[in-house]
Amino acid sequence: MAFVTVARFSGISEGQSRRIEVGGEEIALWKVGGRVYAVSNVCAHEHFSMMHQGILKGCMVSCPMHGWTYSLETGRCITGEGRLRTYRVRVEGDDVAIEEPGPAW
C-alpha cells in the first residue's frame, strides 16, 4: 500500500479540518486529540462535498447540510445509513501522509 504526503501536521489546528484532493478523491483531514483522521469529503446522504466544513463533537463530525453524523474513526454514520470512506494516516515528523485512494469498497 502506497502513502502520499498531503499536509504538515503543524499546519492543521486542533479541532480543525482541511480539504484536500488525492487521486481525484476529495478528502477531509481532521485533527482531534493530536491525531489526524482522513475521511471522504462527500457526505453519504446527499453527496455534498462539505464534510471539511462539518460540525465537530469529539471524534464525530456532522455534515453542515443535513446533520448526518459520522465517526471519524470508522466512517460509520450514527444518524442514518451509509458511511464515509476512511483512509489510513501516517504522521512522520511534521509530514502527514494518507494511503493512496484505490477503488471504492
Side-chain angles (χ1 to χ4, degrees):
M1 153 183 356
F3 281 75
V4 59
T5 300
V6 295
R8 298 279 177 237
F9 186 80
S10 60
I12 307 170
S13 298
E14 180 67 26
Q16 300 297 310
S17 69
R18 174 177 289 171
R19 180 195 166 282
I20 62 169
E21 189 171 321
V22 178
E25 299 283 327
E26 285 189 46
I27 298 168
L29 297 178
W30 286 90
K31 186 191 274 186
V32 179
R35 183 173 174 194
V36 177
Y37 297 90
V39 297
S40 172
N41 194 48
V42 181
C43 180
H45 174 227
E46 292 285 333
H47 307 288
F48 287 107
S49 298
M50 297 184 68
M51 295 309 298
H52 70 288
Q53 295 178 5
I55 300 157
L56 185 67
K57 193 177 264 188
C59 276
M60 302 291 198
V61 63
S62 297
C63 179
M65 290 298 291
H66 297 111
W68 281 39
T69 302
Y70 301 87
S71 165
L72 290 174
E73 296 170 319
T74 66
R76 291 191 179 170
C77 185
I78 63 164
T79 56
E81 294 186 24
R83 63 184 299 171
L84 298 176
R85 185 171 185 180
T86 59
Y87 300 87
R88 290 186 185 106
V89 177
R90 287 187 185 162
V91 177
E92 297 176 354
D94 198 36
D95 291 335
V96 176
I98 65 167
E99 68 179 306
E100 286 189 36
W105 10 254

